Amino acid sequence: MFLAWGPERTWLYNDAFVPILGQKHPGALGRPSMQVWSEAWADLEPLFDRVFSGVPVHMEGFTIGLNRRGVVEDATFDFSYTPARNDDGTINGLFGVCVETTARVQAEQREAAAIARQRRQFQQAPGFVIVMSGPLHTVDFVNDAHRRVFGSADWIGKSIRDAFPSIGGQGFFELLDKVLATGIAYQANRAEVRFQRSAAEPETLRFLNFVYAPIVDEDGTVSGIFCDGFDVTDAVRAEQALRSGNLRQDVLVELAERFRDLDTPSDLSFAAAEVLGRALGVSRAGYGTVDTRAETITIERDWNAPGIKSLAGVLHFRDYGSYIEDLKQGRTVVVSDAREDARTAAGADALKAISAQSFVNMPVTEQGGFVALLYLNHAEVRAWTDEELELILDVAERTRSAVERRRAEEELRVFAASLERQVVARTEDRDRVWRNSRDLLVIIGADGAFKAVNPAWTVILGHRPEDVVGRSFLQFVWPQDAETAQGALHAAAGARDLSDFENRIAHVNGSPRWISWHTAVEGDLVFAYGRDVTAQKQALQELALAQEALRQSQKMEAVGQLTGGIAHDFNNLLATISGSLELLSKRIADGRLGDVDRFVTAAKGASRRAAALTHRLLAFSRQQTLDPRPTEVNRLIAGMEDLIRRSVGPEVEMEVVGAGGLWMTRIDPSQLENALLNLCINARDAMAPHGGRLTIETANRWLDDRAAKDRELPPGQYISECVTDTGTGMSPEIIARVFAPFFTTKPMGEGTGLGLSMVYGFVRQSGGQVRIYSELGRGTTMCIYLPRHVGDAGSPAETPVDAVHPGDGETVLVVEDEPAIRMLIVDVLRDAGYVTLEAPDGATGLRVLQSDARIDLLVTDVGLPGGMNGRQVADAGRKIRPQLRVLFITGFAENAIMGDGQLQSGMEVLTKPFEMSMMANKVRDLLDR
């Protein structure tokens, strides 16, 4: 309670009010209210005025900024203000009763923030999340990923059966009931799920990894189910595509080999049926010509599995169902079970009798007409996959093309002979061939102008023959293919027949069409025919995309292998450290001090190896903490020359060409040594097993705007360090990917694909760039460009690692949130002769800096709790103490340390883990500057 009395509103209070006043007590007693609460008076004065006017004030949850501990902090209160009167009834004061609720409000705010943060995390999670409650599995929450996959925007408040009826009959509702009843989680991998996102959309098949996890209340009751998972359809289909691609490749290779030695259409058709039938394991495969008017198919010959009779002869489609209507429209007919399909149910017994209870009929069309049929029959029920249907389509198209090509070749030879003999300019047979060919037929003069084109130009490319004849063929070639097309015409005119020469021809609508050409020459005329292969090109491109998706999934598996290997290495190192410490403790307790150095040495060695491992990982992630120093690169290379020669071996002749007057660069020398050794070992591998010549060369480079842009660097002065080998070289495709993590050209088990990625990350983090100059069979040059440093070279420290330069009574403030590390640092500094102050977080450290205590140097961790990191503490401390020296310690390369990329004068950074003697010497070095 308090009383604000009289004209000055003098402040009087009871003992219970003292904690609210904080540092203001006892000075607040008897002072005017405006002085006591000067920082909040703008908010309090209107309330006081209301009470002095006779109106009581009562408020709950009132938050106001108060300076009670040296800084303004938000505080929350429930209070009542009542007018206090003189004996004559006039108001001369304000009587207040306060309860501070700051701690409770802040706890509620933290809890609400945690709940909101958790909800945001679920909302933004990459996998889909749904939360259901009660026996009906009522939907309480779905995240953004769930809405994208299932279209679940309006599900909240509905039971899952009402919200998502399209998954009924697949067992998922029953699984939910079981998890709710038993409390046992259910996990599924690559589960097939068929559903509709909405009533207006078609059913889709997806593959999902997911978990149904029970939600257990405090009393142990299962009240709901939490489900999260990922849509892995793309990965599954990529694997299927790869498997299908292998089968597809084998079939197409065998088909091409068979086609090469065959001439007649019947032989080509039978070869296609046999190859496809054996590959897919069907009962029968065949290829026949179709008469759409009579609705018949004529089969000369078909391939049949053992025990299956041939269908050679003429068959009437209507004897087996009504699916001829689909074939006439150019639609493939796929029947898994003739008894279940409405088009074949009436003729199911007839189909069963000819071993065709399931079948695929793939129509072959030419110029929009249904002319032939590739069919596959199976004696039993069979589900045909999309990959099988794509393969059947490809084989059908290739067979049609092969048949037509043989016919066209024969027709073209007849046509050329008729011209040569000059018997009849145009015969009826030649005209029929010319008019009805489904491929492009052209005659081109030596000048590149069309002499004649057949009507297929209009069907395939949209150009009328009269618009083509007389014009140069280059006017129709896709611009990017003009040069190669011109060269092909020269080759054809030179009596060198072309086969399967492909280029793009512009359609009349402006789109490109891929055409595969074959040529023959007579005199100064070139006779050519071309087949439209655009659809095949598109199919190959889709397969390449699927294979690339699989490669990406394999990269993710490589990440898992990498983390597993790291865990294995760290476990070994931790076992060494913990075991050494355990035995060291036992020896000391037993008083056996003779061999304790062995365990100390083992633990220190393991910790150094662990530090090296983390540094390599940070280099790979391009987030390592560097220790850049002015460096003479020629001197660094000279110091490494013996090591490099031993590493590359006697088969490699090595030469070092150091530039005279080489500029200095500011770089982490140890990281540059690692990068150079990595490049030299890669060069050695590129020249294996016969060896070669390795050259290391340095130079000064002044890059103008153009040269800097080519190297993706700002213009200016740089030094270059180049490693050149006489090895196998690299293709442009390899060069484009060589710095990508996990990419390697080495055999399995001989390379991780991390080395060049780490070199690239270190150089880019240092403000430089790496460039590759290479040709296949002519070796490779890898050049590192580093910015020039203007200034004196840094002098190497001569103090042994374990020797500590003593202090002289200076005061060091240590800010570190990890108690064990803070204890070690403080003990080492005290043993060295320093006075130490400690702080567990940034806010406490700043208060110490704001005090009157002597502080000569600040040692601070960068990542600190409490909303203030180490860099912020250092910057605030330097405003108070401009000459303050600062040593940052960190286990990660945080942006907060470097700011604009350079530490200010009087600041240094030390990477964890470090030797305590090194840290103490850093402190001494900073104080002596």
Side-chain angles (χ1 to χ4, degrees):
M1 303 176 185
F2 69 89
L3 188 66
W5 188 258
E8 296 294 327
R9 302 176 182 180
T10 303
W11 195 263
L12 307 171
Y13 50 90
N14 66 351
D15 290 343
F17 203 87
V18 171
I20 296 177
L21 286 162
Q23 295 177 356
K24 295 179 183 289
H25 175 75
L29 191 63
R31 292 177 62 198
S33 299
M34 181 176 66
Q35 296 178 11
V36 175
W37 303 111
S38 58
E39 72 277 15
W41 192 242
D43 295 320
L44 293 176
E45 185 177 22
L47 301 178
F48 277 45
D49 289 345
R50 285 181 60 188
V51 177
F52 273 88
S53 70
V55 180
V57 175
H58 173 77
M59 301 189 78
E60 293 183 357
F62 181 78
T63 300
I64 191 168
L66 301 181
N67 184 355
R68 305 184 291 180
R69 299 174 183 83
V71 294
V72 176
E73 303 173 314
D74 283 343
T76 304
F77 300 91
D78 295 344
F79 62 84
S80 296
Y81 291 171
T82 306
R85 303 178 184 273
N86 288 325
D87 292 339
D88 60 4
T90 60
I91 297 173
N92 198 38
L94 178 152
F95 173 69
V97 178
C98 294
V99 177
E100 182 168 1
T101 60
T102 303
R104 175 174 58 80
V105 170
Q106 290 178 345
E108 291 172 352
Q109 290 173 344
R110 285 194 297 271
E111 182 179 2
I115 293 172
R117 182 167 58 254
Q118 184 183 55
R119 189 176 185 89
R120 286 195 302 273
Q121 290 171 345
F122 282 150
Q123 195 67 46
Q124 299 168 5
F128 58 79
V129 175
I130 179 172
V131 180
M132 296 163 282
S133 63
L136 297 180
H137 311 299
T138 303
V139 179
D140 296 329
F141 173 82
V142 292
N143 70 345
D144 293 338
H146 198 282
R147 293 186 178 95
R148 287 193 297 271
V149 175
F150 301 107
S152 51
D154 60 346
W155 287 13
I156 303 299
K158 298 180 181 179
S159 72
I160 192 64
R161 286 178 167 84
D162 293 336
F164 204 20
S166 62
I167 64 168
Q170 300 178 64
F172 297 101
F173 297 146
E174 292 76 7
L175 283 172
L176 288 171
D177 293 339
K178 183 176 180 181
V179 172
L180 190 68
T182 64
I184 300 174
Y186 173 81
Q187 180 174 343
N189 290 315
R190 301 190 174 192
E192 290 189 17
V193 184
R194 296 184 180 275
F195 62 89
Q196 292 176 273
R197 285 171 46 85
S198 69
E201 296 182 59
E203 184 179 73
T204 182
L205 170 64
R206 309 297 291 176
F207 295 86
L208 306 178
N209 291 351
F210 66 89
V211 174
Y212 287 157
I215 300 173
V216 182
D217 293 339
E218 294 180 355
D219 61 358
T221 303
V222 179
S223 62
I225 295 176
F226 175 90
C227 170
D228 72 333
F230 290 86
D231 184 348
V232 295
T233 304
D234 292 340
V236 172
R237 288 179 175 166
E239 292 178 5
Q240 292 175 345
L242 183 60
R243 290 195 297 269
S244 174
N246 292 336
L247 174 63
R248 181 193 193 96
Q249 184 178 10
D250 293 342
V251 168
L252 297 183
V253 168
E254 182 180 357
L255 192 66
E257 292 176 351
R258 294 284 296 274
F259 279 2
R260 187 166 49 244
D261 301 325
L262 301 175
D263 293 319
T264 66
S266 61
D267 289 340
L268 292 169
S269 302
F270 178 78
E274 182 179 14
V275 170
L276 194 57
R278 291 186 187 279
L280 298 183
V282 297
S283 300
R284 179 188 299 110
Y287 187 93
T289 56
V290 173
D291 184 336
T292 53
R293 291 185 178 180
E295 296 184 343
T296 60
I297 179 173
T298 301
I299 302 169
E300 294 184 16
R301 185 182 175 195
D302 55 12
W303 174 86
N304 296 273
I308 304 299
K309 295 181 179 179
S310 171
L311 294 181
V314 179
L315 280 75
H316 291 266
F317 286 102
R318 295 289 180 183
D319 291 342
Y320 304 99
S322 61
Y323 58 90
I324 181 63
E325 300 299 337
D326 291 309
L327 297 175
K328 288 180 179 180
Q329 299 299 318
R331 293 190 291 266
T332 299
V333 175
V334 181
V335 175
S336 298
D337 185 350
R339 301 187 194 283
E340 301 296 330
D341 195 296
R343 297 167 296 182
T344 57
D349 291 338
L351 287 167
K352 181 72 174 176
I354 62 170
S355 303
Q357 185 170 357
S358 63
F359 63 87
V360 174
N361 280 3
M362 185 79 66
V364 179
T365 60
E366 295 177 3
Q367 297 185 347
F370 173 32
V371 296
L373 183 72
L374 177 65
Y375 62 88
L376 285 87
N377 299 158
H378 201 61
E380 300 172 353
V381 174
R382 175 181 179 135
W384 304 91
T385 68
D386 292 341
E387 291 77 14
E388 290 174 336
L389 296 177
E390 290 175 3
L391 178 59
I392 296 168
L393 175 61
D394 201 348
V395 171
E397 179 59 25
R398 289 170 184 261
T399 303
R400 183 199 68 80
S401 298
V403 170
E404 287 303 310
R405 185 183 305 164
R406 294 294 188 271
R407 288 174 179 166
E409 288 172 351
E410 180 62 27
E411 292 165 352
L412 192 59
R413 283 195 293 270
V414 172
F415 180 60
S418 68
L419 284 177
E420 183 180 1
R421 290 190 299 268
Q422 299 182 1
V423 177
V424 178
R426 296 175 181 270
T427 65
E428 183 178 352
D429 290 340
R430 184 209 65 184
D431 289 342
R432 185 179 301 114
V433 171
W434 188 258
R435 289 192 307 270
N436 295 330
S437 174
R438 273 70 173 179
D439 290 323
L440 304 177
L441 300 178
V442 302
I443 304 173
I444 302 178
D447 58 355
F450 285 111
K451 302 300 182 183
V453 298
N454 71 333
W457 273 78
T458 304
V459 175
I460 297 175
L461 298 171
H463 299 285
R464 296 181 303 171
E466 56 267 33
D467 296 331
V468 177
V469 173
R471 297 170 64 183
S472 171
F473 80 100
L474 288 175
Q475 293 179 262
F476 299 88
V477 173
W478 200 249
Q480 287 80 1
D481 297 348
E483 183 176 348
T484 56
Q486 182 69 62
L489 178 62
H490 287 321
R496 197 176 80 206
D497 292 347
L498 300 181
S499 180
D500 292 322
F501 168 74
E502 296 180 352
N503 68 350
R504 286 169 290 183
I505 303 296
H507 191 277
V508 72
N509 64 11
S511 63
R513 295 289 191 275
W514 280 98
I515 307 298
S516 178
W517 295 100
H518 301 262
T519 66
V521 64
E522 291 288 340
D524 60 352
L525 296 177
V526 176
F527 298 86
Y529 72 90
R531 179 170 53 90
D532 184 356
V533 294
T534 305
Q536 293 174 238
K537 290 280 187 182
Q538 292 173 345
L540 290 174
Q541 183 179 15
E542 292 172 358
L543 178 59
L545 291 174
Q547 291 171 334
E548 180 61 25
L550 179 60
R551 281 193 292 270
Q552 292 299 326
S553 68
Q554 291 170 338
K555 281 186 180 181
M556 294 310 297
E557 292 180 3
V559 172
Q561 294 171 357
L562 173 65
T563 55
I566 293 167
H568 174 268
D569 290 346
F570 264 115
N571 285 336
N572 287 338
L573 296 170
L574 290 173
T576 301
I577 295 170
S578 63
S580 297
L581 292 175
E582 181 181 351
L583 291 176
L584 181 61
S585 299
K586 185 171 181 9
R587 291 289 195 274
I588 293 173
D590 296 340
R592 297 159 56 195
L593 305 180
D595 58 349
V596 296
D597 287 344
R598 242 177 355 112
F599 305 118
V600 173
T601 301
K604 290 174 69 175
S607 66
R608 289 191 186 103
R609 293 196 301 276
L613 178 57
T614 59
H615 290 167
R616 287 197 297 273
L617 290 173
L618 288 172
F620 163 63
S621 66
R622 305 173 191 172
Q623 300 184 76
Q624 60 185 327
T625 302
L626 299 178
D627 183 16
R629 284 178 261 163
T631 303
E632 294 182 11
V633 175
N634 279 345
R635 180 185 297 178
L636 181 145
I637 296 173
M640 293 184 63
E641 189 169 346
D642 287 341
L643 171 63
I644 295 173
R645 290 185 186 277
R646 290 195 302 271
S647 299
V648 300
E651 297 85 7
V652 176
E653 180 184 353
M654 177 176 153
E655 180 182 10
V656 177
V657 182
L662 185 68
W663 297 327
M664 286 190 300
T665 184
R666 191 170 186 272
I667 200 75
D668 188 325
S670 63
Q671 294 297 328
L672 183 58
E673 289 174 351
N674 290 338
L676 176 59
L677 184 60
N678 200 317
L679 295 181
C680 291
I681 291 174
N682 275 0
R684 176 201 66 188
D685 295 342
M687 296 184 286
H690 305 297
R693 185 176 184 81
L694 173 69
T695 304
I696 303 173
E697 185 175 5
T698 61
N700 293 327
R701 306 281 187 180
W702 195 311
L703 303 183
D704 58 15
D705 290 345
R706 180 176 179 181
K709 184 178 181 181
D710 290 342
R711 292 165 177 81
E712 299 180 15
L713 287 168
Q717 295 176 321
Y718 295 81
I719 72 159
S720 67
E721 179 186 74
C722 298
V723 177
T724 301
D725 64 68
T726 57
T728 56
M730 291 183 279
S731 66
E733 294 77 16
I734 296 292
I735 293 174
R737 302 176 59 196
V738 73
F739 293 122
F742 306 109
F743 178 78
T744 179
T745 58
K746 296 177 183 178
M748 184 69 71
E750 295 185 19
T752 63
L754 302 181
L756 287 179
S757 178
M758 288 189 285
V759 172
Y760 183 85
F762 151 67
V763 174
R764 292 299 285 163
Q765 193 175 343
S766 302
Q769 182 60 281
V770 186
R771 276 292 175 263
I772 303 175
Y773 310 92
S774 182
E775 291 182 30
L776 285 174
R778 305 189 66 174
T780 298
T781 296
M782 304 281 285
C783 277
I784 295 175
Y785 294 87
L786 298 170
R788 178 185 182 183
H789 171 73
V790 179
D792 296 330
S795 56
E798 298 178 358
T799 306
V801 173
D802 293 331
V804 177
H805 284 166
D808 192 19
E810 296 94 334
T811 300
V812 179
L813 170 60
V814 179
V815 183
E816 169 61 61
D817 61 304
E818 177 57 46
I821 297 177
R822 188 170 70 247
M823 178 266 292
L824 292 171
I825 295 173
V826 168
D827 283 356
V828 168
L829 292 177
R830 286 177 179 169
D831 290 345
Y834 298 97
V835 176
T836 60
L837 302 174
E838 302 180 45
D841 53 49
T844 305
L846 181 58
R847 284 198 291 273
V848 177
L849 288 168
Q850 291 169 338
S851 70
D852 296 332
R854 172 185 174 181
I855 300 175
D856 300 292
L857 183 138
L858 168 66
V859 177
T860 178
D861 191 8
V862 175
L864 294 172
M868 177 173 277
N869 64 35
R871 182 58 187 261
Q872 291 169 329
V873 172
D875 290 343
R878 280 203 161 188
K879 291 180 180 178
I880 304 167
R881 304 169 185 262
Q883 302 304 317
L884 181 67
R885 303 292 197 272
V886 181
L887 176 61
F888 294 108
I889 55 177
T890 180
F892 197 73
E894 303 187 41
N895 293 333
I897 311 175
M898 302 303 292
D900 60 358
Q902 300 289 337
L903 288 175
Q904 300 171 13
S905 175
M907 290 183 174
E908 290 283 350
V909 62
L910 193 61
T911 305
K912 296 177 183 177
F914 49 79
E915 298 201 10
M916 290 299 165
S917 56
M918 180 186 298
M919 182 276 302
N921 286 333
K922 279 275 189 182
V923 169
R924 184 71 267 161
D925 179 57
L926 279 167
L927 289 171
D928 289 342
R929 291 186 187 177

